[in-house]
Every structure is written in C-alpha cells, then in structure tokens.
Amino acid sequence: MLNEKCTQEEVPPEVEERGHWGSKVEFLLAVAGNVVGIGNVWRFPYLCYKNGGGAFLVPYLVFAVTCGIPLFLLETTMGQYTQEGAITCWRKLCPIAEGIGFGGQLILLYTCMTYIIILSWALLYLVFSFSSQLPWASCDNYWNTEDCVDFSTNSTFNWTNGTNLTSAATEFWERRVLAISRGIEDLGSIRWEVLLCLIGMWIICYFCIWKGVKSTGKVVYFTATFPYVMLIILLIRGLSLPGALEGVIFYLLPDPSRLTDPQVWMEAGAQIFFSYSVGVGSLIVLGSYNKQNNNCYRDCLWLCLLNSGTSVVAGFAVFSVLGFMSHEQGIPITEVAESGPGLAFIAYPQAVAMMPLPQLWSICFFAMLILLGLDTQFVAMEVVMTSIIDMFPRVMRRAGRRESFLLFFCLICFFSQLVMITEGGMFVFQLFDYYACNGACILFLCVFETLSMGWVFGADRLYGIIKDMTGVRANSFFKICWLYLTPLVSLGSFICSLVEYQPLTFNRWYIYPSWAYVLGWALALSSILLVPGRALYKLATGSGTPRQRFQYLCHPALDDSPIQMRGTELQNMGVDLLQPFMAN
C-alpha cells in the first residue's frame, strides 16, 4: 500500500496533447479573421485611388498570383505537414533556415505591441460614440482652438481660404485623444483613458486564446463573421448617401499612366504581403492545427479570394462615405481621402458626424474596426505562444503552464508599450510601425523562405506532400513560383524598397532626430539578422567538418513527421503480413 502511494506521488505531471481545430470551419474562420484586418479597410482603398484607381488592380493581381497565393499555400502546407509551430517546423524541413522562424516571431512580437494600440484608440472612440453628442462633431469643447471648424453646422465653408484651420475631428484626435507633444523627445505623461482601454483589450485578448485552439476556435465564430455584418450595413448606408457615386467613381476610375511608376508596383506588393499575412509564420501555426488529410490546397485559394474581395468591397464602403463628405463640404475628394489612422480616426468620424443618427453609424464603424483587428491581434499572440511552446513541449504542455506563460507574455508586451500611450507616444508608435514591422523585413524573410523550401527542401518534394495530404495534384504553376517567380519578385521588391527608402516623418512636418532613425534601423535589422545569424550559429556549434555540418543542416529531418510515420507503419504492417510466406 505504501509502495503504491509512493509510486503515485512520483508520477510526473502528464504532458497535454497539442490538439487540433474542432472543425474545418474553425480553421477557415481563424485564417479569415487573421488575414482580413484593419488594413483591408484603411489601407487598400487609399492605395487604390492614389495609384491609378482600377489600374492599381493590375499590379495587385500580379503580386497576388506570383507571391501572395503561392506563399499562402506554401506556409499552410508546411504547418499541416509538420504539425509544428513557426520555428520548430524549420528544424524538420530545413534546419539551416531556422532563423526565418525566429525572425518572423520577432516581427509578430513587435506587431502585438503596436496593433493593440490601434484597437485601444478604436475602443475609446466607441465609448465616446454613446455620448448624446459626438465630441468630434463640434468646436465647443475645452480642447478646441480658435482655428477649429465644425463642418456639421457649416458644410458650405470654403476650406481652401483658411490654411491654418483644422476640423473638429482633427482637433479631437490630436488634442483630446493623443494630446500630442512636440516630438519624440517630449514624451510627457500617460494618457490614462487610452491606458484603461489598452488594459481592457489585453484582458479580452488573453481570454480569447488562454485555452489555445479550444477557445480560439470558438471565439472566431463571432469575431470573424460579425465584421462582415457591420461592413454590409455601412456599405448599404454609404451607397445611399448623396455624392456616393462620385466617391465610387473616384475610387475605381482607372489611370493606366500610373502603371509606369515603380512606386505603384512597390505599394501593390507591400499590400499583398501585409494583407495575406505571409512571411511571419502565422499561416504555418494555423495550418499546423489541421488534420493531415485536410484539403489545404482548396482552402488557400478560397481564403485568398475572400481576402482580396473584402478589400475591394471595403473600398466601396469607405469611398461612398468620402464622396458624401466631399459633396457636403464642396471640396475635391483628394482633400478628404486619408489612409491609416487619418481615415479611421479623422476622415470617417468627421463624415459620420454629418449624417443623421451619427451615434448609430459611429458605433457600427468602430465596432467593425475593433472586431476586424481583434482576431488579427489574438491570432498573432497565439502564433507566438504556439511557436514557443512547441520548442519546449515537455516543459510547457503541463496543466496551467500555458495560461501562466500567456499572462507573462501579455504583461511584458503591456509594460513595453506604455511609452506608446504617452503624449509623445504617437511618434514612438510610428517608429515601430515604419521600421520594426516594415514590409522590407517581411520581403527579406519571404525571399529566403521560398529559396529554402523551393531549392533546399525541394519544390518536387513539396508538390508530392500536397498530393499525399489532400489527394489533389496542385497546379504546376505553383512549382514555377516557388522555384523562380516568388523569390525573384520578392527580391526585386526588397531591393526597390531599399533604393526608394525615405526617412520617416510625422504629418509631413516633423523630422525625427538622428538617434531615432538609428533606433528604427536597429529594430528593422533585429529580425533580418536572425536569418544569417542563426544559420552561422548552427554551423559553428555542430559536429563534424564544416562540409558535413552544412549538408546535415540542409537535409530535412522527416523521420518523425506524421506522414513519414504513417508510411513506416504501413511498411512494417506489410512486412509482418508477408513474414509467414518469407519463412517458407
């Protein structure tokens, strides 16, 4: 009896299973929620009108076909095949390229710190939307200046005559929400209202993923679908406004002459890499929770179509409202069209304030914005968590340890980003967004990702893996992309982004100090240098001659992969069945 009790006490805690999606729908909604984000609403429509309207779709589709879709399929296949996170999958497929996984996770860490700041701003605007009068709709508030103009009551004002005048929405954003300082040198105090919203968003994100795919798979049923309901409502409302047709025409009117501008092609490529969430390992992790026989080939094609289609539809919703705003103010749409935070927190709120029932449309817009960004945020957190846990499965897959580590991760991010919600925090936010989460960093990772998988691991082997898992033979065009088109186009875009580099400025008037640019480049290089750095480290610490080390690190370790294990089991089963005959 005593021996039995001692034996029970000495049993180590059980290692929990990694788990899978509860259903195929959960995977589709999780990926859709991740790739369809705020950028589809506030970046694509602006890029479309700015770069030739409908003509912009030509470079957009070129990059989607040669880079976006092939990389989307590549990463999803890598995850589903290895059943591993964004770092450990490289140990099985191409060990020398493991630095790509580390670099992608570092970019996602930076993204987790910046993206949730946007959600905090949106939550604050949502709270203000329940006011009896929208605070950005008038100039009668304590934060307004004498140069403030209220377009909701003075829509015929000639904006061009007052060069120093600002709208009520602009003053609310800059003087009330941000209380923006003179520069990054003057950080000032923390904005406590934004701090409370930030705490609220971290709590929501924590409980969305604290149980892994078990909780994430259920949350996405709401967070990935409800934004489409809001988008359709805003689209119908926008198209019914006066001036909406002019806005839509302005959005899509093609200007073929813009296709000769290299900048147009660069921005189309950057939009594809960002909106498809390639290069950082998100799709690898999401695909890794699929079952082995899932048809990831068909899923990827439909999800890419959904992502691009959402961007186009969002453009109609945005520019119909901007057309109304232009019509009411009597100024060209070019004067009201904005991108990024300028669209979400100045232009659109200003347009909403000019509509009947402004509180209703403001609530719809910011609820949509929060939900669009929420699943992108918590999926990024889940990707980082999964990638780290898969590196130490025997330690981390114990009861309660995931929840504790997730809390630690959230607290680290929270305290690290407090500087971004100070009065000078917007300057820090822009620095991280422009350098740490830069498209050039993602392009660099994508170049080496396709070279590693296409040439070192082997495009033919990858092609066969898709056939074994899905039962479908992928189009041979993907093989051409993985070998030639995707790495060449990505490399060309990366070189162009360096050649066309422009130092960061804020609102086209503030120039950062030299030390800030050095910090920015340090953030950018931190993810890029992990690729060669990790490869050199593995070469230096391995056993054998340098040639043997290199050959070993370029050889996939597939012995314990699910498909390889299944093949070995079948082979052993066949040997056992033939054993009686072989004995004779």
Side-chain angles (χ1 to χ4, degrees):
M1 189 73 177
L2 183 61
N3 291 337
E4 291 180 2
K5 186 179 294 186
C6 293
T7 304
Q8 291 176 358
E9 291 177 355
E10 292 173 0
V11 172
E14 184 180 355
V15 177
E16 298 176 348
E17 292 185 2
R18 192 173 188 274
H20 291 93
W21 296 112
S23 66
K24 185 183 183 71
V25 176
E26 290 183 5
F27 165 69
L28 294 175
L29 290 177
V31 177
N34 178 52
V35 300
V36 178
I38 295 175
N40 296 75
V41 175
W42 78 11
R43 180 172 168 81
F44 176 83
Y46 176 80
L47 290 178
C48 199
Y49 110 81
K50 174 187 172 186
N51 295 306
F56 178 73
L57 297 178
V58 173
Y60 180 83
L61 290 175
V62 168
F63 275 96
V65 171
T66 60
C67 295
I69 300 175
L71 283 168
F72 201 103
L73 176 60
L74 171 67
E75 294 189 9
T76 308
T77 302
M78 289 169 61
Q80 183 169 311
Y81 175 58
T82 60
Q83 302 282 285
E84 293 284 351
I87 296 174
T88 49
C89 75
W90 288 104
R91 295 178 181 176
K92 289 187 175 182
L93 300 175
C94 186
I96 199 170
E98 189 180 0
I100 298 173
F102 281 102
Q105 296 315 291
L106 186 58
I107 292 176
L108 277 183
L109 176 63
Y110 294 145
T111 303
C112 288
M113 293 170 57
T114 56
Y115 204 82
I116 201 169
I117 297 290
I118 301 171
L119 300 182
S120 304
W121 294 331
L123 180 59
L124 184 59
Y125 269 77
L126 180 63
V127 172
F128 278 118
S129 299
F130 289 93
S131 306
S132 57
Q133 181 184 16
L134 295 180
W136 58 82
S138 67
C139 293
D140 302 328
N141 307 286
Y142 70 86
W143 60 81
N144 293 124
T145 65
E146 295 179 355
D147 297 326
C148 179
V149 176
D150 179 8
F151 286 108
S152 62
T153 58
N154 192 10
S155 61
T156 59
F157 181 82
N158 189 351
W159 179 264
T160 57
N161 290 339
T163 55
N164 294 324
L165 301 180
T166 56
S167 67
T170 301
E171 291 202 349
F172 176 79
W173 167 241
E174 294 183 352
R175 300 176 62 84
R176 176 67 177 85
V177 176
L178 300 179
I180 197 162
S181 67
R182 294 170 297 176
I184 196 172
E185 308 94 335
D186 182 17
L187 290 177
S189 59
I190 291 177
R191 303 296 296 158
W192 67 269
E193 291 167 319
V194 180
L195 175 62
L196 292 178
C197 292
L198 181 62
I199 294 173
M201 293 309 305
W202 274 117
I203 292 174
I204 293 172
C205 289
Y206 176 84
F207 285 106
C208 282
I209 68 166
W210 73 317
K211 292 296 182 183
V213 290
K214 294 179 182 178
S215 56
T216 305
K218 302 300 180 289
V219 172
V220 291
Y221 277 100
F222 175 73
T223 59
T225 57
F226 192 70
Y228 283 96
V229 177
M230 295 289 98
L231 182 61
I232 292 171
I233 292 173
L234 292 172
L235 175 64
I236 295 172
R237 177 53 180 158
L239 293 176
S240 65
L241 294 169
L245 181 60
E246 288 79 3
V248 171
I249 292 174
F250 188 81
Y251 165 50
L252 290 178
L253 186 65
D255 181 11
S257 64
R258 296 284 291 142
L259 295 178
T260 60
D261 186 356
Q263 187 67 26
V264 174
W265 291 81
M266 284 178 54
E267 292 189 344
Q271 177 62 17
I272 286 294
F273 282 92
F274 273 118
S275 66
Y276 278 46
S277 295
V278 293
V280 293
S282 298
L283 298 172
I284 294 175
V285 170
L286 294 175
S288 72
Y289 288 110
N290 280 332
K291 294 181 180 178
Q292 281 289 320
N293 60 353
N294 177 63
N295 192 340
C296 57
Y297 179 66
R298 180 183 59 198
D299 294 344
C300 290
L301 298 180
W302 281 111
L303 287 166
C304 290
L305 180 62
L306 173 68
N307 183 26
S308 297
T310 303
S311 298
V312 175
V313 173
F316 284 98
V318 169
F319 270 86
S320 59
V321 173
L322 294 181
F324 160 74
M325 188 172 167
S326 171
H327 176 270
E328 291 295 303
Q329 296 180 12
I331 59 176
I333 297 181
T334 53
E335 298 291 329
V336 298
E338 292 279 355
S339 175
L343 170 66
F345 301 114
I346 298 178
Y348 207 96
Q350 185 175 323
V352 163
M354 302 168 68
M355 299 180 190
L357 301 175
Q359 289 86 351
L360 173 63
W361 306 115
S362 181
I363 291 170
C364 288
F365 176 73
F366 287 109
M368 178 193 72
L369 209 63
I370 291 172
L371 290 174
L372 277 175
L374 183 62
D375 40 17
T376 303
Q377 172 70 22
F378 68 64
V379 165
M381 294 167 57
E382 176 62 46
V383 170
V384 176
M385 288 293 300
T386 296
S387 299
I388 295 175
I389 289 174
D390 282 350
M391 293 176 66
F392 313 101
R394 296 185 180 276
V395 176
M396 299 301 297
R397 288 188 197 150
R398 310 281 187 180
R401 293 191 180 179
R402 174 192 168 86
E403 293 85 346
S404 301
F405 183 68
L406 177 60
L407 178 61
F408 175 74
F409 173 79
C410 293
L411 290 174
I412 290 294
C413 291
F414 173 75
F415 286 110
S416 300
Q417 68 186 174
L418 287 180
V419 68
M420 297 185 195
I421 58 172
T422 59
E423 293 173 351
M426 188 61 173
F427 300 99
V428 181
F429 172 85
Q430 292 279 15
L431 194 70
F432 268 79
D433 185 60
Y434 192 79
Y435 289 100
C437 310
N438 194 348
C441 302
I442 298 175
L443 286 169
F444 181 86
L445 296 181
C446 288
V447 170
F448 284 91
E449 180 178 292
T450 48
L451 289 175
S452 301
M453 293 302 297
W455 291 93
V456 181
F457 181 78
D460 290 324
R461 179 183 285 162
L462 190 62
Y463 199 70
I465 286 172
I466 296 176
K467 176 67 170 63
D468 291 338
M469 290 195 305
T470 66
V472 177
R473 187 175 296 276
N475 194 302
S476 57
F477 175 74
F478 288 106
K479 194 186 299 184
I480 298 173
C481 288
W482 294 328
L483 286 171
Y484 307 107
L485 292 180
T486 306
L488 287 175
V489 173
S490 301
L491 179 61
S493 301
F494 174 73
I495 294 173
C496 286
S497 66
L498 296 181
V499 172
E500 299 291 330
Y501 164 74
Q502 296 291 333
L504 173 65
T505 59
F506 181 76
N507 278 355
R508 294 184 292 274
W509 61 266
Y510 176 76
I511 299 176
Y512 283 76
S514 299
W515 64 264
Y517 291 121
V518 173
L519 175 61
W521 275 107
L523 291 170
L525 291 173
S526 62
S527 58
I528 290 176
L529 293 179
L530 281 173
V531 178
R534 184 63 179 174
L536 292 174
Y537 173 78
K538 293 178 78 71
L539 284 170
T541 57
S543 58
T545 65
R547 181 183 178 85
Q548 290 173 334
R549 297 176 193 175
F550 182 77
Q551 290 178 339
Y552 173 77
L553 292 174
C554 291
H555 183 74
L558 301 176
D559 294 337
D560 55 347
S561 66
I563 286 183
Q564 189 78 8
M565 290 170 64
R566 187 170 59 201
T568 304
E569 289 173 2
L570 291 174
Q571 186 177 7
N572 293 337
M573 186 184 299
V575 172
D576 293 339
L577 291 173
L578 292 173
Q579 193 68 36
F581 302 97
M582 294 171 65
N584 295 330

